[in-house]
Amino acid sequence: MATCPRGCTPAVRLCQRLNRLKTLDDDMMATSLKRCLSTLDLTLLGVGGMVGSGLYVLTGTVAKDMVGPAVIISFIFAGIASLLAAFCYAEFGARIPKTGSAYMFTYVSVGEIWAFLIGWNVILENMIGGAAVARAWSGYLDSIFNHAIQNFTETHIMQWNVPFLAHYPDILAAGILVVASFFISFGVQVSSYLNHIFSTISMVVIVFILVFGFMLAEPANWSQKEGGFAPFGLSGILAGSATCFYAFVGFDVIASSSEEAKNPQKAVPIATAISLGLAATAYILVSTVLTLMVPWHTLDPNSALADAFFRRGYSWAGIIVAVGSICAMNTVLLCNLFSLPRIVYAMAEDGLFFSIFARVNPVTKVPVNAILVFGILMATMALIFDLEALVQFLSIGTLLAYTFVAASVIVLRFQPEKTSDKGTSSTSPNPNAEPSPAPSESQNITEDSGELKQYESFSDKLQLVERQKTEERRGVGQLKAFWEPYLGKLLGDCEPGEVVALCVLTLIVSSVSLCAVVEFGRNQLQLPLWSFTMLLVIFSLAFVVSMVLIWMHEPQTNSKTFQVPLVPLTPAISILFNVFLMLKLSYLTWIRFTVWIAIGLFVYFGYGIWHSKEGMREMHPKDMAARYVVLPSGSLVQTVQSVQPDGQVDSGHHITPSADSTSEEYAGKR
């Protein structure tokens, strides 16, 4: 955060409060939750979050209405795009093993207000996602019994005709959510055990579908007689990719569970890669089998797989598929109910949300209040809202979270990492305070060669100050040495990471502008060709130049955890793809999104900003730091000053003083 000079206006102070960063604890593994999840547990959670209703419903819908048999290519494109976002989540989940997922990652790198809004939207996405899956689960089970449950409810209980609401209250969908919330409140091990059971059954059914389906495959279903492999062309494949992308959004449950993982530094990246690979393989192979079993234009969008086996004369196989689909939907429900309370807990723990949700049950080690309250809210949504109305609002918050996480990876990668003594953060991204050894009259400083050298005289201390100023220019977030002769005068005086942060902002703005021109330029805006081309060139150049400027700065290279490859290229492409998908959403979705954001801002300014733990840390600073100051008289003074949590300290060489140290003056001679 930038330093605020004395006498700054209230608006600047407010801006600083909104953009303050979260200070992490020294011991990143310390938690009030229970660390008991293995790599296998996290992998199955990820698989359960991705391989659900999408496999049994989405494949048939996309194949029939949008792509045809080329749905296979759509899933490949969507899997690659999801991998870019998954890389970013894996780096943060391993580096910052705290619950909260995208909310936590944004808080440590971008700022408080942005983190709150991301968390606020992820809460809504999980609630809608869980309610939508419960509705789909209920409808699928009802279809097996020839809609007997729906008919009974409409006849003997009630029905209504209200826009955006269901025709009847779905008691079955609400009931399964209440029961699932009850089981999850017993602890993370119970949740993991249930997920193991349902995921195993689901994967066994998928293997059955693949083996038996390939035995029934007829290559003629891909022939020109049936419309060919890609009847809707490249545009259909790309449109299908945008829809198929939503099949992979469940992998963030792994990052949400990192605070309960035994070894998150290794488990989170491995589980993310394996689960995404398994999910992508399952979607690609199942869509291949489905379009080879029956002609793509005859698929039933609501229950494509089960219906395909029924039509081939194997009704018993259709029943097995139906059982597998219900188990798969159960895993998605569990993942939604698992990750949602943990995001709420993380926000409440930081003081940005109501403190009642930060309470952890001492026996089960889970946030029971958050589980039960939001489980009931999710059940209420499933009870009264129509499935179509729920799905329309799905995904915008997820895409926004993916965008901010990708941007946070770049920001944090090019910020100096602060390591300090007890009482301060060891992994805070704050760039304004550099670590240094404990003070004494004889300072032991580690040289680049790895040897220890004693600095006792004033001249030695002065050389130390000058040498570290020189090294600071080559530090993380500063221009690389090769580029300093060319850009040093223009960018050399900027704070570490400051140029990168501005470039990331330019990257996002240029991505939004470029995608808006591509999406709306020729049709809705009626732009002439020369204007359309000029805008494309301008925004593309801004995008590329921003990436190049970021690349010209020194990144962190000493991390012992997983790091996203090819930064800033990988997260930049992820940002571009996410923004493009967001602009594909309907205007009604954006209206609902705006209303939800307005409610979130009301909650934040009414409660969060006043109860923020970081705000309280600013009011009661406990950390102290010391620095050498060269005075005109030729002496070197070591002074002590408070260090604000947001890093508002002057530049210079900082060291941590002993408890009884206040100031020491070193003359030219001892």
Side-chain angles (χ1 to χ4, degrees):
M1 186 180 294
T3 304
C4 178
R6 291 185 178 180
C8 63
T9 62
V12 175
R13 291 187 182 275
L14 176 63
C15 184
Q16 288 187 329
R17 293 177 69 183
L18 297 180
N19 290 280
R20 56 195 169 202
L21 305 180
K22 179 175 175 59
T23 304
L24 296 174
D25 296 329
D26 229 356
D27 185 4
M28 295 289 289
M29 297 295 287
T31 177
S32 57
L33 303 178
K34 186 176 182 179
R35 288 197 179 273
C36 59
L37 296 179
S38 64
T39 304
L40 177 62
D41 297 329
L42 292 177
T43 302
L44 289 178
L45 275 174
V47 171
M50 288 182 278
V51 182
S53 55
L55 188 73
Y56 297 91
V57 179
L58 187 65
T59 49
T61 303
V62 175
K64 181 177 181 180
D65 299 334
M66 305 177 70
V67 189
V71 64
I72 302 165
I73 301 178
S74 294
F75 273 118
I76 293 174
F77 286 166
I80 294 172
S82 300
L83 184 64
L84 298 176
F87 273 147
C88 301
Y89 272 80
E91 172 169 334
F92 270 112
R95 183 173 178 178
I96 306 171
K98 295 292 183 181
T99 192
S101 188
Y103 156 76
M104 180 64 65
F105 307 155
T106 307
Y107 203 172
V108 243
S109 54
V110 180
E112 185 172 287
I113 180 66
W114 309 107
F116 178 85
L117 292 178
I118 291 296
W120 184 249
N121 278 286
V122 172
I123 288 174
L124 180 64
E125 292 298 310
N126 278 276
M127 289 177 62
I128 292 176
V133 173
R135 270 276 178 181
W137 183 94
S138 162
Y140 211 93
L141 186 65
D142 195 23
S143 65
I144 296 176
F145 297 101
N146 199 24
H147 302 287
I149 301 173
Q150 176 181 348
N151 295 333
F152 177 84
T153 305
E154 291 180 345
T155 304
H156 296 90
I157 300 180
M158 66 179 301
Q159 61 176 316
W160 55 67
N161 292 310
V162 181
F164 302 111
L165 297 183
H167 296 299
Y168 66 98
D170 197 335
I171 300 175
L172 184 61
I176 187 63
L177 284 170
V178 172
V179 172
S181 301
F182 178 73
F183 276 108
I184 285 179
S185 64
F186 282 112
V188 63
Q189 288 178 313
V190 175
S191 307
S192 179
Y193 180 71
L194 289 174
N195 185 69
H196 283 199
I197 295 174
F198 291 129
S199 294
T200 302
I201 296 174
S202 177
M203 287 188 289
V204 169
V205 171
I206 290 172
V207 172
F208 167 78
I209 291 171
L210 295 178
V211 173
F212 196 41
F214 274 117
M215 292 172 60
L216 301 176
E218 295 181 357
N221 289 326
W222 285 6
S223 65
Q224 288 297 327
K225 181 181 177 182
E226 298 293 346
F229 180 74
F232 297 92
L234 181 62
S235 60
I237 292 174
L238 294 177
S241 298
T243 304
C244 293
F245 179 81
Y246 306 134
F248 300 101
V249 299
F251 65 78
D252 60 343
V253 68
I254 298 175
S256 299
S257 312
S258 60
E259 192 166 339
E260 291 159 287
K262 296 177 183 177
N263 186 6
Q265 286 76 16
K266 292 183 178 179
V268 170
I270 293 173
T272 302
I274 294 176
S275 61
L276 191 61
L278 289 175
T281 303
Y283 276 106
I284 291 168
L285 293 179
V286 167
S287 58
T288 302
V289 166
L290 181 62
T291 52
L292 283 173
M293 283 178 62
V294 294
W296 60 270
H297 52 81
T298 63
L299 292 171
D300 181 4
N302 296 320
S303 55
L305 279 169
D307 183 68
F309 283 103
F310 275 114
R311 287 169 54 192
R312 293 300 299 270
Y314 297 94
S315 56
W316 58 271
I319 294 174
I320 292 176
V321 172
V323 171
S325 67
I326 291 175
C327 289
M329 292 182 198
N330 284 339
T331 62
V332 178
L333 280 180
L334 287 173
C335 289
N336 275 283
L337 286 168
F338 185 87
S339 58
L340 172 60
R342 281 151 181 81
I343 295 169
V344 174
Y345 161 79
M347 296 175 67
E349 181 73 9
D350 291 332
L352 302 186
F353 205 48
F354 305 111
S355 59
I356 188 174
F357 298 122
R359 296 176 186 172
V360 175
N361 186 283
V363 178
T364 60
K365 299 292 183 181
V366 293
V368 175
N369 292 341
I371 291 172
L372 296 180
V373 170
F374 282 88
I376 292 173
L377 288 175
M378 197 183 294
T380 304
M381 294 180 69
L383 181 71
I384 62 175
F385 284 107
D386 187 15
L387 176 61
E388 184 178 352
L390 290 171
V391 171
Q392 283 180 355
F393 198 18
L394 198 58
S395 301
I396 187 169
T398 302
L399 290 171
L400 188 67
Y402 286 3
T403 302
F404 268 84
V405 170
S408 299
V409 164
I410 304 175
V411 171
L412 204 57
R413 181 71 65 87
F414 290 89
Q415 279 187 351
E417 188 170 1
K418 186 176 78 172
T419 57
S420 58
D421 292 332
K422 186 177 180 180
T424 58
S425 170
S426 61
T427 53
S428 174
N430 195 329
N432 296 318
E434 290 295 323
S436 65
S440 64
E441 190 171 357
S442 297
Q443 296 286 345
N444 288 332
I445 307 295
T446 303
E447 294 290 307
D448 294 337
S449 62
E451 299 176 355
L452 293 177
K453 179 178 178 181
Q454 280 197 328
Y455 290 91
E456 295 184 348
S457 67
F458 169 77
S459 59
D460 280 343
K461 293 181 185 292
L462 190 58
Q463 289 174 8
L464 170 64
V465 174
E466 294 300 321
R467 182 174 69 83
Q468 290 186 340
K469 284 183 178 179
T470 303
E471 288 179 350
E472 192 178 26
R473 289 197 296 268
R474 303 289 185 269
V476 174
Q478 295 284 4
L479 271 175
K480 292 180 179 178
F482 178 81
W483 299 105
E484 186 152 345
Y486 307 99
L487 299 174
K489 292 183 179 180
L490 182 63
L491 305 176
D493 294 332
C494 297
E495 291 292 323
E498 185 178 356
V499 176
V500 173
L502 292 174
C503 287
V504 170
L505 179 61
T506 305
L507 202 67
I508 295 175
V509 173
S510 60
S511 297
V512 173
S513 305
L514 182 61
C515 293
V517 170
V518 172
E519 182 68 20
F520 308 116
R522 295 303 300 277
N523 299 325
Q524 283 89 336
L525 300 180
Q526 300 293 323
L527 291 176
L529 181 60
W530 68 269
S531 177
F532 178 78
T533 307
M534 184 182 67
L535 290 175
L536 284 181
V537 171
I538 291 174
F539 295 133
S540 299
L541 281 175
F543 184 84
V544 173
V545 169
S546 299
M547 280 199 301
V548 171
L549 281 175
I550 294 171
W551 173 76
M552 288 179 178
H553 289 74
E554 290 285 353
Q556 292 182 7
T557 56
N558 59 350
S559 177
K560 297 180 181 179
T561 59
F562 171 79
Q563 286 193 317
V564 178
L566 300 176
V567 173
L569 180 62
T570 301
I573 295 176
S574 179
I575 290 172
L576 190 64
F577 194 87
N578 295 333
V579 169
F580 179 74
L581 292 180
M582 289 176 71
L583 294 180
K584 284 280 188 182
L585 299 173
S586 66
Y587 73 94
L588 285 176
T589 301
W590 281 97
I591 292 174
R592 296 187 186 102
F593 172 74
T594 304
V595 172
W596 182 250
I597 285 289
I599 297 173
L601 290 173
F602 178 78
V603 172
Y604 175 74
F605 286 105
Y607 182 89
I609 194 172
W610 307 107
H611 296 82
S612 169
K613 296 275 182 75
E614 291 302 316
M616 296 178 182
R617 202 189 306 268
E618 289 179 358
M619 294 173 60
H620 306 286
K622 296 180 181 179
D623 301 329
M624 304 291 289
R627 61 192 178 101
Y628 287 119
V629 180
V630 181
L631 300 180
S633 60
S635 61
L636 187 69
V637 176
Q638 180 188 5
T639 61
V640 176
Q641 64 179 29
S642 299
V643 179
Q644 298 298 328
D646 57 1
Q648 296 179 11
V649 250
D650 296 332
S651 60
H653 174 57
H654 295 77
I655 63 176
T656 306
S658 56
D660 58 350
S661 154
T662 55
S663 67
E664 299 177 31
E665 182 172 337
Y666 295 91
K669 295 182 181 179
R670 296 185 60 218

